[in-house]
Amino acid sequence: MSLPPAHDDVMGLAAGFPATSPDAWAELAAGVVNKSRPDDRKVDAAGAREALSSHLPGGIDIDPIYWPQPGETLGLPGAMPFTRGRAPRDPDVPWDVRQLHDDPDAATSRRAVLDDLERGVTSVWVHVGADGVAADDLAEVLADVQVDLAPVVVSSADDQATAAAALVSVWEAKGVDAATVRGSLGHDPIGQVAVRGGTPDLAPLADAVATCRDRFTSARAITVDSRVHHDAGASDQDEIALALATALDYVRHLSEAGVEPAEAFRRIDFRVAATADQFTTIAKLRALRRTWARVGEVLEVPEADRGAWVHAVTSWRMQTRTDPWVNLLRDTIACFAAAAGGADAVTVLPYDHALGLPTAFSRRVARNTQSLLASESNVARVADPAGGSAYVESLTDSLARAAWAWFGELDAAGGAAAALASGVVAERLAATRTERDAALATRALPLTGTSTFPLAGETLLTRTPRTEPTGGLPRRRDSEVFEDLRERTAAGDVSVPVIALGPAKEHTARLTFVTNLLGVAGIRPHIIEVADESTALDAAQGAPVAVVASSAKGYAAHAEASVASLRSAGVGRVLVAGRATEVGDTTVDGEVRDGMDVVAFLTDLLDTLGAPQAGAQA
């Protein structure tokens, strides 16, 4: 059979467009930026580039535009440095769809496992221990699972050896060919200490690796779970560095026990957090594979064994309890990013995971999120679909270099376990957490439905609470500080008069801003539209706080008389939406504006209104 003739009329997408240099682009960008700036704040090309740049916690800078670098080579999936993937994708089974089960009721978990496997899930993850399924119940939970078809992995925050032994017993009892069994025994003693505190016991690792090497040859023994660091505030580069340092501790321990590094590499996988920051998640997975491959190269591990096997889990830290339906969007973006970043397995946590144990419906949505992305978006039909993007390649390189630098410091200081014991890890993560908290508080890092666009009058969902582990590194979701504010108003109607000055065209924008801001703490705005200044006097009598909202033009016409009438009415504090300079010589007690510390402002406002402290309600 002959091939069809080549065509010369291929359309070039950039044909007809003149080439633009970085400097020329910056000049054009400055022209756009300056359109909305007064003369005294206009910027040049360099200033425009800085104005359009952003910064990630931990010191990674994000430029507004990236340009391909000459001489760069992308490489191939399945080859050094494994940036582009551990292996080419299978278009029919692009990744392992893995669901988490941690309901302590064995019968409930058994039904959930079977339901998932019958409806699109391809592997099972059971969390075992005091905060999950009892080890003695694991056999019942997995009773309907054909372990030669569906991989099973276990994790535990309190007794990993018992959890692993329970899984081995299940595999043995099934009576299938041991070589067909896949999954992981879930040993991660340093990770367990990060969750619960104490001293890591690495003694079981060698026997676990031997069990896999000699019997269950397709299974893994160790899962380096860096989500505990992520949940404690780690940046993406921190998470990579700690994953590398932890895994290297295990490789060295196993080497001392007579296990070759190549065998250790074959028995280790990684579990990392995937967030709604799409591009950093893609870059993080690529950078993790690249750096782990470099560790393998230094240890003279054969190239075929250097590719990191990665299980991505949508972030618990990014989930909210308020307006949890937005978690569906966060999870979808995170799942897409994990797939585009080349994850071997993906777990989408149900949208109500932060509230407690999931329902059948939320588990269904979680697994269908993956099925839809895999089957309908075709995101994984191409290996490393983001590869070649100048932005993604640069971000991957930045994360890899930053992670490698701290990994080197950790290694020089004795490794992950030593750094955890000395407090170095906690100190580093606390610093990153503080930086992130500042961005959250000013809403430079917004949480839709929680810190921005809150759902007014929301009735929170209720779920059966799960037992949370205590000790170890402090784990906290990004939204908790805002949820604490909302809790303070849950017991009753807390309101603030908002005085809308002038016609709607003058006050609507800032009235909307103030209304949404107050809603972050569950405060109801008592909106008073002022046709003449006496309206404010009558409606805001004796209020502890009132906010006036309008444009600069509206303030010029109404602010002086309205603020005076509010003072006469006994209003304790008068705040202005926008800048205080807009009300001229009129004295106000504070500003309500974009970029302010929302947490500090709303905390002070609730204190002024006499709202109870979080957790103080009967």
Side-chain angles (χ1 to χ4, degrees), residues 498-501 504-518 547-555 576-583 592-594:
V498 181
I499 317 303
L501 303 179
K505 66 179 181 179
E506 299 295 341
H507 68 238
T508 296
R510 281 178 170 164
L511 176 61
T512 301
F513 173 81
V514 172
T515 298
N516 281 318
L517 177 61
L518 296 176
V547 182
V548 292
S550 191
S551 65
K553 181 179 178 180
Y555 288 142
V576 61
R579 296 283 182 178
T581 54
E582 294 181 84
V583 298
V592 183
R593 58 180 175 79
D594 193 25

PDB file of all heavy atoms in Angstrom, residues 498-501 504-518 547-555 576-583 592-594:
ATOM      1  N   VAL A 498     -25.225  49.687  55.668  1.00  0.00           N
ATOM      2  CA  VAL A 498     -24.395  50.111  54.545  1.00  0.00           C
ATOM      3  C   VAL A 498     -25.152  51.219  53.832  1.00  0.00           C
ATOM      4  O   VAL A 498     -26.248  51.000  53.304  1.00  0.00           O
ATOM      5  CB  VAL A 498     -24.096  48.946  53.580  1.00  0.00           C
ATOM      6  CG1 VAL A 498     -23.213  49.427  52.438  1.00  0.00           C
ATOM      7  CG2 VAL A 498     -23.424  47.803  54.316  1.00  0.00           C
ATOM      8  N   ILE A 499     -24.604  52.409  53.861  1.00  0.00           N
ATOM      9  CA  ILE A 499     -25.281  53.583  53.344  1.00  0.00           C
ATOM     10  C   ILE A 499     -24.853  53.808  51.902  1.00  0.00           C
ATOM     11  O   ILE A 499     -23.691  54.166  51.623  1.00  0.00           O
ATOM     12  CB  ILE A 499     -24.947  54.835  54.186  1.00  0.00           C
ATOM     13  CG1 ILE A 499     -24.971  54.505  55.694  1.00  0.00           C
ATOM     14  CG2 ILE A 499     -25.889  55.970  53.844  1.00  0.00           C
ATOM     15  CD1 ILE A 499     -26.274  53.939  56.191  1.00  0.00           C
ATOM     16  N   ALA A 500     -25.760  53.573  50.972  1.00  0.00           N
ATOM     17  CA  ALA A 500     -25.485  53.746  49.545  1.00  0.00           C
ATOM     18  C   ALA A 500     -25.817  55.167  49.150  1.00  0.00           C
ATOM     19  O   ALA A 500     -26.986  55.568  49.136  1.00  0.00           O
ATOM     20  CB  ALA A 500     -26.297  52.744  48.729  1.00  0.00           C
ATOM     21  N   LEU A 501     -24.803  55.965  48.856  1.00  0.00           N
ATOM     22  CA  LEU A 501     -24.977  57.386  48.581  1.00  0.00           C
ATOM     23  C   LEU A 501     -25.145  57.641  47.090  1.00  0.00           C
ATOM     24  O   LEU A 501     -24.406  57.095  46.263  1.00  0.00           O
ATOM     25  CB  LEU A 501     -23.766  58.170  49.094  1.00  0.00           C
ATOM     26  CG  LEU A 501     -23.422  58.028  50.583  1.00  0.00           C
ATOM     27  CD1 LEU A 501     -22.195  58.855  50.923  1.00  0.00           C
ATOM     28  CD2 LEU A 501     -24.598  58.431  51.457  1.00  0.00           C
ATOM     29  N   ALA A 504     -27.919  54.885  41.720  1.00  0.00           N
ATOM     30  CA  ALA A 504     -27.363  53.533  41.607  1.00  0.00           C
ATOM     31  C   ALA A 504     -26.087  53.497  40.788  1.00  0.00           C
ATOM     32  O   ALA A 504     -25.145  52.749  41.110  1.00  0.00           O
ATOM     33  CB  ALA A 504     -28.406  52.596  41.000  1.00  0.00           C
ATOM     34  N   LYS A 505     -26.004  54.301  39.751  1.00  0.00           N
ATOM     35  CA  LYS A 505     -24.804  54.263  38.917  1.00  0.00           C
ATOM     36  C   LYS A 505     -23.570  54.718  39.679  1.00  0.00           C
ATOM     37  O   LYS A 505     -22.442  54.401  39.298  1.00  0.00           O
ATOM     38  CB  LYS A 505     -24.997  55.104  37.671  1.00  0.00           C
ATOM     39  CG  LYS A 505     -25.135  56.599  37.929  1.00  0.00           C
ATOM     40  CD  LYS A 505     -25.300  57.351  36.621  1.00  0.00           C
ATOM     41  CE  LYS A 505     -25.413  58.856  36.855  1.00  0.00           C
ATOM     42  NZ  LYS A 505     -25.549  59.598  35.589  1.00  0.00           N
ATOM     43  N   GLU A 506     -23.768  55.473  40.770  1.00  0.00           N
ATOM     44  CA  GLU A 506     -22.646  55.931  41.571  1.00  0.00           C
ATOM     45  C   GLU A 506     -22.251  54.937  42.667  1.00  0.00           C
ATOM     46  O   GLU A 506     -21.082  54.806  42.989  1.00  0.00           O
ATOM     47  CB  GLU A 506     -22.972  57.291  42.211  1.00  0.00           C
ATOM     48  CG  GLU A 506     -23.244  58.404  41.230  1.00  0.00           C
ATOM     49  CD  GLU A 506     -22.034  58.760  40.389  1.00  0.00           C
ATOM     50  OE1 GLU A 506     -20.909  58.406  40.785  1.00  0.00           O
ATOM     51  OE2 GLU A 506     -22.198  59.376  39.321  1.00  0.00           O
ATOM     52  N   HIS A 507     -23.228  54.228  43.213  1.00  0.00           N
ATOM     53  CA  HIS A 507     -22.904  53.399  44.395  1.00  0.00           C
ATOM     54  C   HIS A 507     -22.907  51.895  44.142  1.00  0.00           C
ATOM     55  O   HIS A 507     -22.441  51.123  44.997  1.00  0.00           O
ATOM     56  CB  HIS A 507     -23.858  53.713  45.552  1.00  0.00           C
ATOM     57  CG  HIS A 507     -25.282  53.293  45.331  1.00  0.00           C
ATOM     58  ND1 HIS A 507     -26.352  54.177  45.377  1.00  0.00           N
ATOM     59  CD2 HIS A 507     -25.858  52.082  45.080  1.00  0.00           C
ATOM     60  CE1 HIS A 507     -27.478  53.532  45.174  1.00  0.00           C
ATOM     61  NE2 HIS A 507     -27.198  52.257  44.981  1.00  0.00           N
ATOM     62  N   THR A 508     -23.414  51.421  43.012  1.00  0.00           N
ATOM     63  CA  THR A 508     -23.609  49.971  42.832  1.00  0.00           C
ATOM     64  C   THR A 508     -22.319  49.176  42.955  1.00  0.00           C
ATOM     65  O   THR A 508     -22.272  48.136  43.633  1.00  0.00           O
ATOM     66  CB  THR A 508     -24.278  49.687  41.473  1.00  0.00           C
ATOM     67  OG1 THR A 508     -25.579  50.268  41.460  1.00  0.00           O
ATOM     68  CG2 THR A 508     -24.399  48.186  41.240  1.00  0.00           C
ATOM     69  N   ALA A 509     -21.258  49.628  42.318  1.00  0.00           N
ATOM     70  CA  ALA A 509     -20.013  48.843  42.320  1.00  0.00           C
ATOM     71  C   ALA A 509     -19.483  48.649  43.731  1.00  0.00           C
ATOM     72  O   ALA A 509     -19.158  47.527  44.149  1.00  0.00           O
ATOM     73  CB  ALA A 509     -18.969  49.519  41.443  1.00  0.00           C
ATOM     74  N   ARG A 510     -19.406  49.732  44.489  1.00  0.00           N
ATOM     75  CA  ARG A 510     -18.844  49.604  45.834  1.00  0.00           C
ATOM     76  C   ARG A 510     -19.842  49.005  46.819  1.00  0.00           C
ATOM     77  O   ARG A 510     -19.436  48.349  47.775  1.00  0.00           O
ATOM     78  CB  ARG A 510     -18.342  50.965  46.317  1.00  0.00           C
ATOM     79  CG  ARG A 510     -16.972  51.284  45.681  1.00  0.00           C
ATOM     80  CD  ARG A 510     -16.448  52.608  46.068  1.00  0.00           C
ATOM     81  NE  ARG A 510     -15.050  52.751  45.640  1.00  0.00           N
ATOM     82  CZ  ARG A 510     -14.426  53.910  45.578  1.00  0.00           C
ATOM     83  NH1 ARG A 510     -15.048  55.041  45.923  1.00  0.00           N
ATOM     84  NH2 ARG A 510     -13.159  53.950  45.204  1.00  0.00           N
ATOM     85  N   LEU A 511     -21.114  49.204  46.595  1.00  0.00           N
ATOM     86  CA  LEU A 511     -22.104  48.529  47.428  1.00  0.00           C
ATOM     87  C   LEU A 511     -21.986  47.018  47.265  1.00  0.00           C
ATOM     88  O   LEU A 511     -22.033  46.263  48.241  1.00  0.00           O
ATOM     89  CB  LEU A 511     -23.513  48.997  47.046  1.00  0.00           C
ATOM     90  CG  LEU A 511     -24.668  48.305  47.774  1.00  0.00           C
ATOM     91  CD1 LEU A 511     -24.599  48.537  49.272  1.00  0.00           C
ATOM     92  CD2 LEU A 511     -26.014  48.776  47.211  1.00  0.00           C
ATOM     93  N   THR A 512     -21.814  46.562  46.033  1.00  0.00           N
ATOM     94  CA  THR A 512     -21.637  45.130  45.775  1.00  0.00           C
ATOM     95  C   THR A 512     -20.371  44.619  46.440  1.00  0.00           C
ATOM     96  O   THR A 512     -20.365  43.532  47.044  1.00  0.00           O
ATOM     97  CB  THR A 512     -21.576  44.869  44.267  1.00  0.00           C
ATOM     98  OG1 THR A 512     -22.780  45.333  43.654  1.00  0.00           O
ATOM     99  CG2 THR A 512     -21.406  43.389  43.971  1.00  0.00           C
ATOM    100  N   PHE A 513     -19.299  45.393  46.353  1.00  0.00           N
ATOM    101  CA  PHE A 513     -18.036  45.002  46.982  1.00  0.00           C
ATOM    102  C   PHE A 513     -18.211  44.847  48.494  1.00  0.00           C
ATOM    103  O   PHE A 513     -17.797  43.830  49.082  1.00  0.00           O
ATOM    104  CB  PHE A 513     -16.958  46.039  46.673  1.00  0.00           C
ATOM    105  CG  PHE A 513     -15.667  45.805  47.415  1.00  0.00           C
ATOM    106  CD1 PHE A 513     -14.743  44.879  46.958  1.00  0.00           C
ATOM    107  CD2 PHE A 513     -15.386  46.503  48.586  1.00  0.00           C
ATOM    108  CE1 PHE A 513     -13.561  44.652  47.652  1.00  0.00           C
ATOM    109  CE2 PHE A 513     -14.203  46.286  49.281  1.00  0.00           C
ATOM    110  CZ  PHE A 513     -13.290  45.357  48.809  1.00  0.00           C
ATOM    111  N   VAL A 514     -18.821  45.822  49.142  1.00  0.00           N
ATOM    112  CA  VAL A 514     -19.002  45.776  50.598  1.00  0.00           C
ATOM    113  C   VAL A 514     -19.916  44.626  50.992  1.00  0.00           C
ATOM    114  O   VAL A 514     -19.658  43.905  51.969  1.00  0.00           O
ATOM    115  CB  VAL A 514     -19.557  47.116  51.112  1.00  0.00           C
ATOM    116  CG1 VAL A 514     -19.924  47.009  52.599  1.00  0.00           C
ATOM    117  CG2 VAL A 514     -18.543  48.224  50.905  1.00  0.00           C
ATOM    118  N   THR A 515     -20.985  44.423  50.235  1.00  0.00           N
ATOM    119  CA  THR A 515     -21.925  43.337  50.535  1.00  0.00           C
ATOM    120  C   THR A 515     -21.228  41.985  50.502  1.00  0.00           C
ATOM    121  O   THR A 515     -21.401  41.157  51.398  1.00  0.00           O
ATOM    122  CB  THR A 515     -23.084  43.356  49.518  1.00  0.00           C
ATOM    123  OG1 THR A 515     -23.791  44.588  49.635  1.00  0.00           O
ATOM    124  CG2 THR A 515     -24.035  42.193  49.759  1.00  0.00           C
ATOM    125  N   ASN A 516     -20.413  41.760  49.469  1.00  0.00           N
ATOM    126  CA  ASN A 516     -19.684  40.493  49.374  1.00  0.00           C
ATOM    127  C   ASN A 516     -18.644  40.368  50.476  1.00  0.00           C
ATOM    128  O   ASN A 516     -18.438  39.278  51.022  1.00  0.00           O
ATOM    129  CB  ASN A 516     -19.019  40.382  48.003  1.00  0.00           C
ATOM    130  CG  ASN A 516     -19.985  39.967  46.912  1.00  0.00           C
ATOM    131  OD1 ASN A 516     -20.817  39.092  47.129  1.00  0.00           O
ATOM    132  ND2 ASN A 516     -19.897  40.600  45.757  1.00  0.00           N
ATOM    133  N   LEU A 517     -17.983  41.462  50.811  1.00  0.00           N
ATOM    134  CA  LEU A 517     -16.969  41.415  51.857  1.00  0.00           C
ATOM    135  C   LEU A 517     -17.589  41.058  53.204  1.00  0.00           C
ATOM    136  O   LEU A 517     -17.075  40.199  53.934  1.00  0.00           O
ATOM    137  CB  LEU A 517     -16.246  42.763  51.946  1.00  0.00           C
ATOM    138  CG  LEU A 517     -15.201  42.888  53.053  1.00  0.00           C
ATOM    139  CD1 LEU A 517     -14.087  41.874  52.862  1.00  0.00           C
ATOM    140  CD2 LEU A 517     -14.629  44.296  53.093  1.00  0.00           C
ATOM    141  N   LEU A 518     -18.689  41.683  53.548  1.00  0.00           N
ATOM    142  CA  LEU A 518     -19.361  41.364  54.810  1.00  0.00           C
ATOM    143  C   LEU A 518     -19.853  39.918  54.809  1.00  0.00           C
ATOM    144  O   LEU A 518     -19.810  39.226  55.835  1.00  0.00           O
ATOM    145  CB  LEU A 518     -20.534  42.322  55.041  1.00  0.00           C
ATOM    146  CG  LEU A 518     -20.175  43.794  55.231  1.00  0.00           C
ATOM    147  CD1 LEU A 518     -21.447  44.628  55.349  1.00  0.00           C
ATOM    148  CD2 LEU A 518     -19.305  43.993  56.465  1.00  0.00           C
ATOM    149  N   VAL A 547     -21.112  51.673  57.176  1.00  0.00           N
ATOM    150  CA  VAL A 547     -20.240  51.835  56.018  1.00  0.00           C
ATOM    151  C   VAL A 547     -20.960  52.695  54.992  1.00  0.00           C
ATOM    152  O   VAL A 547     -22.130  52.448  54.693  1.00  0.00           O
ATOM    153  CB  VAL A 547     -19.875  50.480  55.382  1.00  0.00           C
ATOM    154  CG1 VAL A 547     -18.916  50.680  54.211  1.00  0.00           C
ATOM    155  CG2 VAL A 547     -19.267  49.542  56.410  1.00  0.00           C
ATOM    156  N   VAL A 548     -20.270  53.705  54.473  1.00  0.00           N
ATOM    157  CA  VAL A 548     -20.831  54.493  53.387  1.00  0.00           C
ATOM    158  C   VAL A 548     -20.180  54.034  52.090  1.00  0.00           C
ATOM    159  O   VAL A 548     -18.977  53.752  52.042  1.00  0.00           O
ATOM    160  CB  VAL A 548     -20.617  56.009  53.604  1.00  0.00           C
ATOM    161  CG1 VAL A 548     -21.434  56.487  54.781  1.00  0.00           C
ATOM    162  CG2 VAL A 548     -19.153  56.340  53.793  1.00  0.00           C
ATOM    163  N   ALA A 549     -20.994  53.940  51.039  1.00  0.00           N
ATOM    164  CA  ALA A 549     -20.502  53.390  49.770  1.00  0.00           C
ATOM    165  C   ALA A 549     -20.974  54.256  48.614  1.00  0.00           C
ATOM    166  O   ALA A 549     -22.171  54.502  48.467  1.00  0.00           O
ATOM    167  CB  ALA A 549     -20.991  51.959  49.587  1.00  0.00           C
ATOM    168  N   SER A 550     -20.022  54.703  47.807  1.00  0.00           N
ATOM    169  CA  SER A 550     -20.341  55.445  46.601  1.00  0.00           C
ATOM    170  C   SER A 550     -19.060  55.624  45.794  1.00  0.00           C
ATOM    171  O   SER A 550     -17.994  55.118  46.159  1.00  0.00           O
ATOM    172  CB  SER A 550     -20.954  56.810  46.949  1.00  0.00           C
ATOM    173  OG  SER A 550     -21.488  57.413  45.784  1.00  0.00           O
ATOM    174  N   SER A 551     -19.177  56.357  44.709  1.00  0.00           N
ATOM    175  CA  SER A 551     -18.010  56.721  43.902  1.00  0.00           C
ATOM    176  C   SER A 551     -17.434  58.024  44.433  1.00  0.00           C
ATOM    177  O   SER A 551     -18.007  58.669  45.325  1.00  0.00           O
ATOM    178  CB  SER A 551     -18.425  56.889  42.452  1.00  0.00           C
ATOM    179  OG  SER A 551     -19.322  57.986  42.332  1.00  0.00           O
ATOM    180  N   ALA A 552     -16.333  58.443  43.868  1.00  0.00           N
ATOM    181  CA  ALA A 552     -15.755  59.724  44.267  1.00  0.00           C
ATOM    182  C   ALA A 552     -16.747  60.859  44.017  1.00  0.00           C
ATOM    183  O   ALA A 552     -16.866  61.794  44.831  1.00  0.00           O
ATOM    184  CB  ALA A 552     -14.456  59.967  43.499  1.00  0.00           C
ATOM    185  N   LYS A 553     -17.485  60.775  42.917  1.00  0.00           N
ATOM    186  CA  LYS A 553     -18.484  61.796  42.609  1.00  0.00           C
ATOM    187  C   LYS A 553     -19.604  61.777  43.652  1.00  0.00           C
ATOM    188  O   LYS A 553     -20.061  62.835  44.115  1.00  0.00           O
ATOM    189  CB  LYS A 553     -19.050  61.561  41.218  1.00  0.00           C
ATOM    190  CG  LYS A 553     -20.081  62.583  40.775  1.00  0.00           C
ATOM    191  CD  LYS A 553     -20.564  62.280  39.353  1.00  0.00           C
ATOM    192  CE  LYS A 553     -21.634  63.281  38.916  1.00  0.00           C
ATOM    193  NZ  LYS A 553     -22.111  62.990  37.523  1.00  0.00           N
ATOM    194  N   GLY A 554     -20.064  60.588  44.018  1.00  0.00           N
ATOM    195  CA  GLY A 554     -21.110  60.480  45.026  1.00  0.00           C
ATOM    196  C   GLY A 554     -20.655  61.002  46.376  1.00  0.00           C
ATOM    197  O   GLY A 554     -21.430  61.640  47.105  1.00  0.00           O
ATOM    198  N   TYR A 555     -19.397  60.711  46.713  1.00  0.00           N
ATOM    199  CA  TYR A 555     -18.873  61.214  47.985  1.00  0.00           C
ATOM    200  C   TYR A 555     -18.814  62.739  47.986  1.00  0.00           C
ATOM    201  O   TYR A 555     -19.112  63.401  48.987  1.00  0.00           O
ATOM    202  CB  TYR A 555     -17.480  60.644  48.245  1.00  0.00           C
ATOM    203  CG  TYR A 555     -17.461  59.164  48.601  1.00  0.00           C
ATOM    204  CD1 TYR A 555     -16.453  58.346  48.129  1.00  0.00           C
ATOM    205  CD2 TYR A 555     -18.454  58.610  49.400  1.00  0.00           C
ATOM    206  CE1 TYR A 555     -16.419  56.992  48.434  1.00  0.00           C
ATOM    207  CE2 TYR A 555     -18.439  57.265  49.721  1.00  0.00           C
ATOM    208  CZ  TYR A 555     -17.417  56.442  49.238  1.00  0.00           C
ATOM    209  OH  TYR A 555     -17.401  55.116  49.552  1.00  0.00           O
ATOM    210  N   VAL A 576     -15.539  54.056  55.195  1.00  0.00           N
ATOM    211  CA  VAL A 576     -15.801  54.438  53.810  1.00  0.00           C
ATOM    212  C   VAL A 576     -15.335  53.335  52.870  1.00  0.00           C
ATOM    213  O   VAL A 576     -14.248  52.770  53.054  1.00  0.00           O
ATOM    214  CB  VAL A 576     -15.107  55.777  53.458  1.00  0.00           C
ATOM    215  CG1 VAL A 576     -13.588  55.677  53.608  1.00  0.00           C
ATOM    216  CG2 VAL A 576     -15.459  56.223  52.043  1.00  0.00           C
ATOM    217  N   ALA A 577     -16.170  53.002  51.898  1.00  0.00           N
ATOM    218  CA  ALA A 577     -15.783  52.042  50.868  1.00  0.00           C
ATOM    219  C   ALA A 577     -14.902  52.753  49.855  1.00  0.00           C
ATOM    220  O   ALA A 577     -15.337  53.692  49.188  1.00  0.00           O
ATOM    221  CB  ALA A 577     -17.019  51.468  50.193  1.00  0.00           C
ATOM    222  N   GLY A 578     -13.651  52.327  49.761  1.00  0.00           N
ATOM    223  CA  GLY A 578     -12.688  52.992  48.899  1.00  0.00           C
ATOM    224  C   GLY A 578     -11.617  53.667  49.732  1.00  0.00           C
ATOM    225  O   GLY A 578     -11.307  53.233  50.849  1.00  0.00           O
ATOM    226  N   ARG A 579     -11.074  54.752  49.219  1.00  0.00           N
ATOM    227  CA  ARG A 579     -10.012  55.470  49.903  1.00  0.00           C
ATOM    228  C   ARG A 579     -10.593  56.631  50.712  1.00  0.00           C
ATOM    229  O   ARG A 579     -11.490  57.348  50.252  1.00  0.00           O
ATOM    230  CB  ARG A 579      -9.005  56.019  48.891  1.00  0.00           C
ATOM    231  CG  ARG A 579      -8.266  54.947  48.106  1.00  0.00           C
ATOM    232  CD  ARG A 579      -7.184  54.322  48.947  1.00  0.00           C
ATOM    233  NE  ARG A 579      -6.432  53.314  48.183  1.00  0.00           N
ATOM    234  CZ  ARG A 579      -5.394  52.645  48.676  1.00  0.00           C
ATOM    235  NH1 ARG A 579      -4.997  52.869  49.914  1.00  0.00           N
ATOM    236  NH2 ARG A 579      -4.761  51.739  47.945  1.00  0.00           N
ATOM    237  N   ALA A 580     -10.036  56.830  51.904  1.00  0.00           N
ATOM    238  CA  ALA A 580     -10.515  57.920  52.755  1.00  0.00           C
ATOM    239  C   ALA A 580     -10.297  59.276  52.104  1.00  0.00           C
ATOM    240  O   ALA A 580     -11.052  60.231  52.363  1.00  0.00           O
ATOM    241  CB  ALA A 580      -9.810  57.859  54.109  1.00  0.00           C
ATOM    242  N   THR A 581      -9.293  59.377  51.244  1.00  0.00           N
ATOM    243  CA  THR A 581      -9.024  60.652  50.580  1.00  0.00           C
ATOM    244  C   THR A 581     -10.166  61.076  49.658  1.00  0.00           C
ATOM    245  O   THR A 581     -10.296  62.261  49.331  1.00  0.00           O
ATOM    246  CB  THR A 581      -7.724  60.556  49.763  1.00  0.00           C
ATOM    247  OG1 THR A 581      -7.807  59.425  48.867  1.00  0.00           O
ATOM    248  CG2 THR A 581      -6.520  60.375  50.683  1.00  0.00           C
ATOM    249  N   GLU A 582     -11.027  60.129  49.270  1.00  0.00           N
ATOM    250  CA  GLU A 582     -12.117  60.448  48.350  1.00  0.00           C
ATOM    251  C   GLU A 582     -13.228  61.258  49.013  1.00  0.00           C
ATOM    252  O   GLU A 582     -14.047  61.858  48.330  1.00  0.00           O
ATOM    253  CB  GLU A 582     -12.706  59.169  47.758  1.00  0.00           C
ATOM    254  CG  GLU A 582     -11.752  58.411  46.858  1.00  0.00           C
ATOM    255  CD  GLU A 582     -12.388  57.157  46.282  1.00  0.00           C
ATOM    256  OE1 GLU A 582     -13.084  57.279  45.253  1.00  0.00           O
ATOM    257  OE2 GLU A 582     -12.205  56.070  46.858  1.00  0.00           O
ATOM    258  N   VAL A 583     -13.286  61.254  50.347  1.00  0.00           N
ATOM    259  CA  VAL A 583     -14.327  62.023  51.037  1.00  0.00           C
ATOM    260  C   VAL A 583     -13.812  63.391  51.466  1.00  0.00           C
ATOM    261  O   VAL A 583     -14.447  64.089  52.267  1.00  0.00           O
ATOM    262  CB  VAL A 583     -14.889  61.247  52.250  1.00  0.00           C
ATOM    263  CG1 VAL A 583     -15.548  59.959  51.802  1.00  0.00           C
ATOM    264  CG2 VAL A 583     -13.791  60.963  53.270  1.00  0.00           C
ATOM    265  N   VAL A 592     -12.702  50.534  53.683  1.00  0.00           N
ATOM    266  CA  VAL A 592     -13.076  49.187  53.252  1.00  0.00           C
ATOM    267  C   VAL A 592     -12.741  49.124  51.766  1.00  0.00           C
ATOM    268  O   VAL A 592     -13.430  49.726  50.944  1.00  0.00           O
ATOM    269  CB  VAL A 592     -14.574  48.907  53.479  1.00  0.00           C
ATOM    270  CG1 VAL A 592     -14.907  47.471  53.077  1.00  0.00           C
ATOM    271  CG2 VAL A 592     -14.961  49.161  54.919  1.00  0.00           C
ATOM    272  N   ARG A 593     -11.653  48.431  51.414  1.00  0.00           N
ATOM    273  CA  ARG A 593     -11.166  48.499  50.043  1.00  0.00           C
ATOM    274  C   ARG A 593     -10.485  47.189  49.648  1.00  0.00           C
ATOM    275  O   ARG A 593     -10.121  46.371  50.502  1.00  0.00           O
ATOM    276  CB  ARG A 593     -10.190  49.660  49.875  1.00  0.00           C
ATOM    277  CG  ARG A 593      -9.004  49.597  50.799  1.00  0.00           C
ATOM    278  CD  ARG A 593      -8.049  50.767  50.596  1.00  0.00           C
ATOM    279  NE  ARG A 593      -6.970  50.753  51.564  1.00  0.00           N
ATOM    280  CZ  ARG A 593      -5.894  49.981  51.483  1.00  0.00           C
ATOM    281  NH1 ARG A 593      -5.753  49.151  50.456  1.00  0.00           N
ATOM    282  NH2 ARG A 593      -4.946  50.029  52.401  1.00  0.00           N
ATOM    283  N   ASP A 594     -10.309  47.037  48.373  1.00  0.00           N
ATOM    284  CA  ASP A 594      -9.610  45.877  47.843  1.00  0.00           C
ATOM    285  C   ASP A 594      -8.141  45.922  48.268  1.00  0.00           C
ATOM    286  O   ASP A 594      -7.535  46.986  48.340  1.00  0.00           O
ATOM    287  CB  ASP A 594      -9.708  45.871  46.319  1.00  0.00           C
ATOM    288  CG  ASP A 594      -9.296  44.544  45.712  1.00  0.00           C
ATOM    289  OD1 ASP A 594      -9.392  43.525  46.405  1.00  0.00           O
ATOM    290  OD2 ASP A 594      -8.885  44.541  44.535  1.00  0.00           O
TER     291      ASP A 594
END
